[in-house]
Amino acid sequence: MSLKRQAPPSGPTPSAVAEAPKRHSTISMAVGASCIENTQNQQLASLLASQIARAAAIFNIDEVIVLDDVERPDRDVPSPAAALLARILQFMETPQYLRKALIPMHPDLKFAGLMPPLDATHHLRTHEWGTYREGVVRHSAPGDGSVVDIGLEHDALIPEQVAPGTRVTLHVGAAPQLSQVHGQAVHGASLAAPTDPRAKEGRAWGYLTRVAPSLQALLQASPFEGGYDLCVGTSERGECTPAEELQFRPYRHALLVFGGPAGLEACLRGDAWAAKYRDVAQLFDRYVNTCFHQGSRTIRTEEALFISLTFLDPALQRCCMD
């Protein structure tokens, strides 16, 4: 006999997800796509990509950049490894109730069923309520606004006319506000920017994803106003400062950069900036070794991410401009 799980009859309740300390500054993370290129098959590549997404969610990263450091004849065309990593990152960041409408089937997602869910703070369940909610526009009409699926029993209505199939971030208020429109119960909501939960309330709200074809594109094409004001590179050849002594200058938008299996040094050698910079450390405000007592000759990418984010997180929390 199967048992059906039912939502509380009183409707959505405030989310029970434990929230991280509020932080209005953003933290971005760049990962070399060569780590995907280095895997033995697509299944292992997919699992590695899912671990990168998990690290981003656990440490409340606001942007994940795929640094395309894979050797290829045309630098303007993303490598298959970068495309797969970016697609899986976007897939996992998208709330599950929106995936069918937003993400078409693709060979890169063949092993999506094996990936652990993010269960991130913006992945609200049907019985949970939050000030913001992600949705997809069902339909819109001039003068009538747009009806948005937000993963609840009732859709939301916004006054703006937005193209159907568009993902949107909505501000839905502290409590549900249902009204009748053309005989249909809808939640009142207003259109918000995807960065509003972080900028206005200091809340983690998923991550943006982009592909950077070069180090220049990585460092100079920031989506944040004013660009990155703190750039930190990680390498076994970096400075060995204990975590409790590590200090950064105050920042609004920090960028953490992780190379592929050959490190950031190899990334610079294959980059157009190789003629401009002799040492990759010159590109960063700090170039840090986050595991200077390692007992193995090599640290895998997924291991380096969790080690480094744990090592850097206290200093990043101390130095953000909040």
Side-chain angles (χ1 to χ4, degrees), residues 14 61-62 80 86 90 131 138 174 189 211 254 274 282:
I61 299 299
D62 301 284
Q90 291 175 327
T131 308
R138 289 187 187 272
V211 177
Q282 296 176 275

Side-chain angles (χ1 to χ4, degrees), residues 54-184:
R54 287 282 301 167
I58 289 169
F59 287 92
N60 300 299
I61 299 299
D62 301 284
E63 179 195 24
V64 181
I65 308 107
V66 178
L67 175 58
D68 200 349
D69 59 344
V70 176
E71 288 292 331
R72 57 199 189 280
D74 187 351
R75 303 290 295 185
D76 294 327
V77 178
S79 66
L84 182 143
L85 177 53
R87 185 169 283 110
I88 290 177
L89 287 170
Q90 291 175 327
F91 172 83
M92 293 193 66
E93 190 276 339
T94 303
Q96 290 169 315
Y97 61 87
L98 298 180
R99 289 175 183 171
K100 185 176 180 179
L102 292 174
I103 302 178
M105 294 182 65
H106 192 279
D108 285 350
L109 301 175
K110 177 181 179 181
F111 296 101
L114 301 178
M115 301 174 194
L118 285 196
D119 210 13
T121 53
H122 67 301
H123 288 198
L124 297 174
R125 297 175 175 83
T126 56
H127 63 279
E128 294 176 328
W129 187 264
T131 308
Y132 292 91
R133 202 169 183 101
E134 293 295 294
V136 60
V137 177
R138 289 187 187 272
H139 55 83
S140 62
D144 290 336
S146 303
V147 175
V148 183
D149 176 8
I150 55 173
L152 296 175
E153 180 182 358
H154 302 292
D155 292 336
L157 179 66
I158 57 175
E160 294 86 357
Q161 186 179 353
V162 181
T166 303
R167 178 176 169 177
V168 291
T169 302
L170 301 185
H171 185 272
V172 293
Q177 297 180 352
L178 284 171
S179 60
Q180 293 289 326
V181 177
H182 301 310
Q184 179 183 0

Side-chain angles (χ1 to χ4, degrees), residues 34-64:
S34 57
C35 69
I36 298 294
E37 180 80 7
N38 197 49
T39 56
Q40 295 174 322
N41 55 53
Q42 185 181 344
Q43 181 175 352
L44 293 176
S46 300
L47 292 175
L48 172 56
S50 70
Q51 289 177 300
I52 294 172
R54 287 282 301 167
I58 289 169
F59 287 92
N60 300 299
I61 299 299
D62 301 284
E63 179 195 24
V64 181

